[in-house]
Amino acid sequence: MTATSTDIQTLAIDTIRALSMDAVQTANSGHPGTPMALAPVAYQLFQNAMDYDPAKPHWPGRDRFVLSCGHASMLLYSTLHLIGTKATDIHGNPTGGESITLDSIKKFRQIGSVCAGHPEYAEAAGIETTTGPLGAGVSNSVGMAMAEKWLAANYNTDDLTLFNYNTYAICSDGDLMEGIATEAASVAGHLKLDNLCWLYDDNNITIEGDTDLAFSEDIGMKFEGMGWNVLKVDNANDVEALNKAVAAFKACSNKPTLVIVKSIIGYGAPNKQNTHGAHGAPLGWDEVALAKKSYGLPEDEKFYVPAGVKEHFADGVGKRGAAASAAWEDVWTKYQAAEPAKAAELQAMFVGKLPEGWDKDIPVFEADAKGDATRNSSGKVLNAIAKNIPFMIGGSADLAPSNKSDLKFEGAGEFLPTSYGGRNLHFGIREHAMSGITNGLCLSGLRGYCATFFVFTDYMRGGMRLSSIMHQPTLYILTHDSIGVGEDGPTHQPIEHLTACRAIPGLNVYRPGDANEVAECYRSAMMISDHPAAMVLSRQNMPTMDRTKFAPASGCLKGGYILSDCEGTPDVILMGSGSELYMAVDAGEKLTAAGKKVRVVSMPCMDIFAQQDQSYIDEVLPPAVTNRVAIEAGIQMSWDRWIGSNGKFIGMHSFGASGPFDQVYEHFGINAASVEKAANC
């Protein structure tokens, strides 16, 4: 234990610690030890290092702070409260109140408080991303750093610098054990992102006990091998050493920086510090009192903010941040006059709007019995859209030629190490980090997308789920969508994945049934700015339907629509999506010729269809018509709502098989004949 200091810096740090302990103990739930250990790190970053204006917490030129070890959320909440972070509206405009009030801290982890157990994006200003699943935050931070590099390359001029910010992330042993962190770190090192700094809390403690139980890596050597600048601070309480480390980060070029900070978890709690007892459970009021005594704070006063602490922060980060944001606003004013076209692009990006005319070049595809794979039409539509959205950027996990996700129009370019102006990203075979990085791009205002084979959503589901929780418009382009993958066999044939993705609340899963449905599904997805979208696309061809014979593909905007119909009440309703839709059409034509009244319904996006008025749903699927058949090369689960208890499903009830795709379809009986037979049962 060190002697108690009464200087204002130490008092401010200890106030962060005490607020964090009190909140966790009052909630009787949470993680007190890490905020107690890392209070000096948060203090140093906000008070002395970051360009951050608490009065304008969303100004575009600010440094970003990510608490990747989200279980230590009280570290963030206490700091944001003490530095005076202002509340904002959905557009980032200050509303006059506090972002994190003391009352919210007192209600930590309770219903109605913005101080959730883990930081939740947009719950309060100053929370840059949702963190909780370990490794997610650091992957987001790579995307944020990439966004700054791209924005600087495309919008800064010789005279006017709008973008020159850094991204800081605090991470834990748990973060760096997760594979996503290594994937993300590898990307950052390869790209030489010298605007990225991770501060690693090296405290040797996890929930089960000492990290020696399962973790013995030389993290410094590992990161050096990935191209990082590695620094060490031997004592988290040494603010001057932290200051020197951050200064060394800022002086380093062509490498991201990892600062390994040795800390004592639960610092100041005499019986629990440096043990796993300070990690995932409250300390107990007696231990809290002893810790406060060691800090020189009143032992029995809860949620105590000593006189002078807020003023200290106001004189530091408050004044520095105000000056920095004012300087940025001055540059922005000059920029709008000097570069009106580029300024208009940025203004649209800042408010989350798409530029005028973004969809003017979306193609209309001619009817074609042979047709095309929807991955191919997707590539055409993606390029038509992206060339008119200058801040749309993305790439694939080493599969762009197969996903058709590369941008080929003039000026699209490549995003490469030290050459950051291009819009084609290369993630390597790192699906999990790819989804997290793309979320970081979107959190920075860009319209980010990423692409892989549909089956590999198993690896990126964590990031997909978080994009929905955060209401980000992340676009996932997912090809090779079914048993149509063929010869690659069961490992590469997604069976349960449509249902699994549809189960994520707020993720709009599109599976278009021909080229024009692809176009309209993209239009739908791009117009929705507060939900992610998954575009699920085929490798094999399917007919491009004659829209003079069938309903227009604009019906996709409602998620499901009547593709073809009969006179009066149908005897049977056939439903399908994607590469099986034409099978429902073929079956419908045969049933109609046999005298049945048939309606065929295309269901490219169940999520959006379910959001329609009940009157529209009943118009498409009349409740009285219970003879319904759905066909899809996946499992039945997500169709049960639409086919009802009397409905029939033609699809998969096992994993796939290796063989030519058409033979695989026949092997499993997924064809028009099976639909026709089911309709007659």
Side-chain angles (χ1 to χ4, degrees), residues 358 380-393 407 409 423 449 526:
W358 68 271
K380 296 172 184 175
V381 175
L382 174 67
N383 273 268
I385 291 172
K387 72 177 182 180
N388 292 318
I389 303 177
F391 46 86
M392 189 171 185
I393 178 172
L407 302 181
F409 51 84
R423 293 165 63 183
Y449 70 89
M526 294 303 299

Side-chain angles (χ1 to χ4, degrees), residues 371-378 518 538-542:
D372 202 358
T374 51
R375 63 168 174 167
N376 292 334
S377 45
S378 166
V518 169
S538 74
R539 186 187 77 161
Q540 75 275 23
N541 288 1
M542 62 189 73

Side-chain angles (χ1 to χ4, degrees), residues 22-73:
D22 285 347
V24 171
Q25 193 62 50
T26 300
N28 198 29
S29 174
H31 299 72
T34 301
M36 296 163 70
L38 297 186
V41 178
Y43 171 88
Q44 171 59 25
L45 287 177
F46 280 94
Q47 180 73 343
N48 298 319
M50 290 171 56
D51 283 338
Y52 188 86
D53 184 359
K56 295 180 180 178
H58 293 301
W59 64 284
R62 71 191 180 281
D63 285 345
R64 268 62 168 178
F65 174 80
V66 174
L67 183 68
S68 193
C69 44
H71 56 270
S73 55

Side-chain angles (χ1 to χ4, degrees), residues 189-508:
H190 173 73
L191 291 173
K192 304 181 185 300
L193 299 178
D194 54 15
N195 58 346
L196 178 65
C197 181
W198 292 2
L199 296 107
Y200 163 40
D201 176 27
D202 182 14
N203 63 31
N204 299 113
I205 296 293
T206 61
I207 288 175
E208 291 186 355
D210 195 282
T211 53
D212 287 346
L213 288 168
F215 189 56
S216 53
E217 296 177 5
D218 184 330
I219 288 294
M221 184 179 295
K222 179 178 180 178
F223 272 70
E224 286 176 359
M226 290 190 290
W228 285 60
N229 170 41
V230 177
L231 308 171
K232 295 183 179 180
V233 173
D234 292 331
N235 180 0
N237 293 306
D238 188 342
V239 176
E240 182 56 33
L242 290 169
N243 178 55
K244 290 179 179 178
V246 173
F249 151 65
K250 292 182 177 181
C252 179
S253 61
N254 293 335
K255 287 184 178 183
T257 292
L258 177 75
V259 183
I260 301 175
V261 182
K262 292 296 292 185
S263 74
I264 298 175
I265 195 167
Y267 176 80
N271 300 304
K272 292 193 176 181
Q273 69 174 6
N274 207 31
T275 73
H276 68 274
H279 178 63
L283 299 173
W285 283 118
D286 290 344
E287 189 74 2
V288 168
L290 291 172
K292 289 179 181 177
K293 182 179 180 180
S294 76
Y295 304 149
L297 297 175
E299 298 171 39
D300 297 323
E301 190 164 349
K302 300 174 185 177
F303 303 104
Y304 175 61
V305 178
V309 168
K310 285 192 171 183
E311 292 78 8
H312 173 62
F313 281 116
D315 285 340
V317 61
K319 286 184 178 178
R320 284 193 312 100
S325 67
W328 188 91
E329 290 290 349
D330 181 57
V331 173
W332 174 232
T333 298
K334 295 175 182 176
Y335 193 93
Q336 291 176 84
E339 303 284 345
K342 286 188 173 184
E345 294 173 6
L346 288 172
Q347 187 59 46
M349 189 194 79
F350 292 158
V351 299
K353 301 292 185 182
L354 298 178
E356 194 74 28
W358 68 271
D359 59 348
K360 65 182 180 180
D361 294 319
I362 292 179
V364 175
F365 296 91
E366 296 294 326
D368 184 349
K370 179 182 177 183
D372 202 358
T374 51
R375 63 168 174 167
N376 292 334
S377 45
S378 166
K380 296 172 184 175
V381 175
L382 174 67
N383 273 268
I385 291 172
K387 72 177 182 180
N388 292 318
I389 303 177
F391 46 86
M392 189 171 185
I393 178 172
S396 178
D398 196 51
L399 291 170
S402 192
N403 294 147
K404 312 301 180 185
S405 58
D406 42 347
L407 302 181
K408 298 180 176 179
F409 51 84
E410 184 178 355
E414 308 288 325
F415 187 99
L416 298 170
T418 70
S419 179
Y420 302 118
R423 293 165 63 183
N424 282 295
L425 308 181
H426 301 279
F427 293 104
I429 306 164
R430 306 179 181 99
E431 291 89 356
H432 197 178
M434 175 175 71
S435 62
I437 290 169
T438 307
N439 285 341
L441 297 172
C442 291
L443 288 162
S444 305
L446 306 182
R447 285 301 288 256
Y449 70 89
C450 58
T452 188
F453 289 174
F454 190 32
V455 76
F456 299 139
T457 54
D458 286 336
Y459 292 158
M460 58 194 284
R461 182 178 171 84
M464 297 175 76
R465 183 173 185 268
L466 286 169
S467 66
S468 191
I469 289 175
M470 293 189 288
H471 291 273
Q472 292 303 297
T474 311
L475 174 63
Y476 303 97
I477 299 171
L478 308 167
T479 66
H480 297 61
D481 68 341
S482 70
I483 58 173
V485 173
E487 292 86 349
D488 281 341
T491 61
H492 280 54
Q493 293 171 8
I495 303 302
E496 73 279 18
H497 297 69
L498 278 164
T499 291
C501 288
R502 287 167 178 158
I504 299 175
L507 172 64
N508 292 323

Side-chain angles (χ1 to χ4, degrees), residues 60 82-83 119 162 262 301 338 363 405 469 518 566 579 590:
L82 293 173
I83 68 174
L162 284 172
K262 292 296 292 185
E301 190 164 349
S405 58
I469 289 175
V518 169
C566 59
S579 45
K590 292 178 181 177

Side-chain angles (χ1 to χ4, degrees), residues 595-624:
K596 275 194 177 290
K597 293 192 290 185
V598 180
R599 171 175 293 178
V600 178
V601 171
S602 176
M603 193 74 78
C605 186
M606 293 181 180
D607 311 278
I608 291 178
F609 184 67
Q611 296 167 18
Q612 303 306 308
D613 293 339
Q614 190 61 47
S615 59
Y616 177 75
I617 293 173
D618 291 345
E619 178 187 337
V620 175
L621 301 175

